[in-house]
Amino acid sequence: MHLSRFARVRLGHSMTPLEPLRELSRVLDGPQLWIKRDDCTGFALGGNKVRKLEFLMADALAKGATHIVTHGATQSNHVRQTAAAAAHLGLSCIGLLETRLSDADDDYHNSGNVLLDRLFKCLLEERPAGCDMNAEIELVAERLRGQGARPYTIPGGGSNPIGALGYVLCAQEIVTQATELELVIDSVVHATGSSGTQAGLVAGLQAQNSGIPVLGIGVHKPRDIQEENVYRLALRTYDLIEARGLLSRESVVANCDYLGAGYGRVTPGVIEAVELLARTEGILLDPVYTGKAMAGLIDLVRKGFFARDQNIVFVHTGGAPALFAYRASFDEPALLRAPRARAAS
Ligand SMILES: Cc1ncc(COP(=O)(O)O)c(C=O)c1O
């Protein structure tokens, strides 16, 4: 697997730390928990999209793009990071925001990632929930072409085989770091949404014959759809990197039991996970992705899903800027609830 064959623009800080979550592991009294700090990719407050965008933006530049057109939910981390990458590279950016939570408050519609999109001078357009957003970005691209521009469209979450290369690279980092730390990793756990992160990890870990299983915690779709989306993209990514051997359907596992009332809807488990990580480790999760994934991981640990002698790596995919858009979910009564963790006592 020779990723230097693919064009890449450096945007973030790679070889993000792989560190023990000592206090969280102690409080939960289960397996040894570790964290891969992809919230520390740096660029524009970091997160998983930086890795994908290094390959996607290189492709856009190679194709002579003048405009980047992409989409996401209102509080999309992907749109924020794409807008920053476009600004950095001197390209115009148009972000279509799908209003999935029409009942949300003003913070949701204007703070957090939306505030940052505007700082990066991204032109924002809203679309109603349920719209075919990939079709919508093609319509915008068509409009721009009519005006003499050269638009480059990026699907939601940057999730196509080029974007997923970012997580093939992350899989290489994880295996290298495990070797350095003499760490036997029993499972990698992370939030899965538009599928590119999991597809890249599954393809990259299999291409290295690492034997490390991946568990995606779903934040959007039901399990059968999520796993099918990830598997299809993992196969295409596997082809792109010309990996040998079988990529089995069984290597793609998503647990979508922690979705609650749906995408972007906070659950009590999310509030607990965000508070617990802040108070035991000083680490900020987000309410939509990593909070839900960590809520799932915490519940699985409590149910004894992992053996005590196992090492579980949680990939922190970023997203903390959205905390400011969810201020009302972390209001004072919630903060004054009985402390659950040592750090809160
Ligand atoms: C913070 C964060 N974590 C995880 C994900 C999920 O990654 P993917 O869309 O590649 O499945 C996203 C996607 O938007 C995200 O913003």
Side-chain angles (χ1 to χ4, degrees):
M1 209 178 28
H2 190 194
L3 290 184
S4 4
R5 287 191 294 116
F6 299 98
R8 179 178 171 204
V9 283
R10 298 298 173 116
L11 296 170
H13 307 155
S14 54
M15 202 53 117
T16 57
L18 175 61
E19 297 168 335
L21 287 168
R22 285 202 185 86
E23 194 50 32
L24 182 70
S25 302
R26 192 190 67 73
V27 167
L28 293 178
D29 196 23
Q32 293 312 302
L33 300 174
W34 294 73
I35 190 161
K36 172 74 173 158
R37 296 294 304 267
D38 268 20
D39 55 323
C40 299
T41 51
F43 185 72
L45 297 181
N48 60 344
K49 300 308 176 321
V50 176
R51 288 188 187 271
K52 299 179 180 184
L53 286 163
E54 291 194 340
F55 291 97
L56 289 162
M57 295 306 272
D59 191 45
L61 291 178
K63 292 185 167 131
T66 55
H67 290 65
I68 304 293
V69 189
T70 195
H71 69 84
T74 305
Q75 279 298 326
S76 169
N77 300 297
H78 163 70
V79 170
R80 178 239 315 162
Q81 288 160 100
T82 304
H88 178 65
L89 297 169
L91 306 176
S92 301
C93 187
I94 292 123
L96 304 192
L97 300 182
E98 182 186 358
T99 313
R100 290 188 199 159
L101 307 187
S102 51
D103 56 345
D105 64 11
D106 188 57
D107 284 336
Y108 184 83
H109 288 286
N110 290 295
S111 185
N113 283 305
V114 177
L115 183 153
L116 300 179
D117 295 342
R118 292 183 181 135
L119 265 185
F120 296 128
K121 213 162 180 261
C122 182
L123 198 69
L124 298 175
E125 293 182 19
E126 288 182 12
R127 296 290 184 276
C131 227
D132 180 346
M133 296 298 282
N134 282 333
E136 288 295 313
I137 56 172
E138 293 309 329
L139 288 176
V140 172
E142 202 53 49
R143 191 174 83 205
L144 288 167
R145 265 183 229 108
Q147 296 162 6
R150 286 189 303 278
Y152 181 89
T153 53
I154 298 181
S159 287
N160 61 17
I162 295 175
L165 289 176
Y167 271 85
V168 173
L169 193 60
C170 181
Q172 287 186 334
E173 280 184 23
I174 290 173
V175 171
T176 302
Q177 289 172 312
T179 307
E180 274 168 15
L181 294 162
E182 297 181 38
L183 176 70
V184 177
I185 299 175
D186 295 289
S187 190
V188 165
V189 179
H190 69 96
T192 185
S194 68
S195 301
T197 302
Q198 189 168 5
L201 285 173
V202 166
L205 289 170
Q206 175 61 35
Q208 296 172 91
N209 203 15
S210 71
I212 301 174
V214 177
L215 173 61
I217 307 285
V219 300
H220 192 190
K221 309 271 187 205
R223 177 178 182 155
D224 51 343
I225 296 175
Q226 187 64 27
E227 288 189 347
E228 211 38 55
N229 288 347
V230 173
Y231 186 52
R232 253 187 285 122
L233 184 51
L235 285 177
R236 291 170 65 207
T237 308
Y238 210 60
D239 272 354
L240 183 63
I241 60 175
E242 295 177 16
R244 297 202 189 94
L246 179 76
L247 187 68
S248 72
R249 171 65 182 79
E250 290 69 46
S251 63
V252 173
V253 181
N255 180 331
C256 300
D257 294 348
Y258 300 95
L259 195 53
Y263 174 86
R265 301 279 180 196
V266 166
T267 63
V270 168
I271 302 290
E272 184 197 7
V274 172
E275 289 182 354
L276 192 55
L277 265 285
R279 294 169 191 190
T280 55
E281 300 285 352
I283 289 176
L284 297 173
L285 300 178
D286 81 284
V288 181
Y289 297 94
T290 54
K292 234 167 224 185
M294 183 53 82
L297 176 57
I298 291 170
D299 188 57
L300 291 171
V301 167
R302 286 179 177 148
K303 285 178 172 156
F305 182 79
F306 302 106
R308 289 179 67 86
D309 62 355
Q310 287 189 321
N311 292 299
I312 311 301
V313 173
F314 180 78
V315 182
H316 189 329
T317 43
L323 280 172
F324 302 100
Y326 279 79
R327 189 180 53 87
S329 303
F330 298 92
D331 61 10
E332 226 167 296
L335 291 172
L336 292 176
R337 278 198 305 270
R340 295 190 186 88
R342 180 204 63 98
S345 61

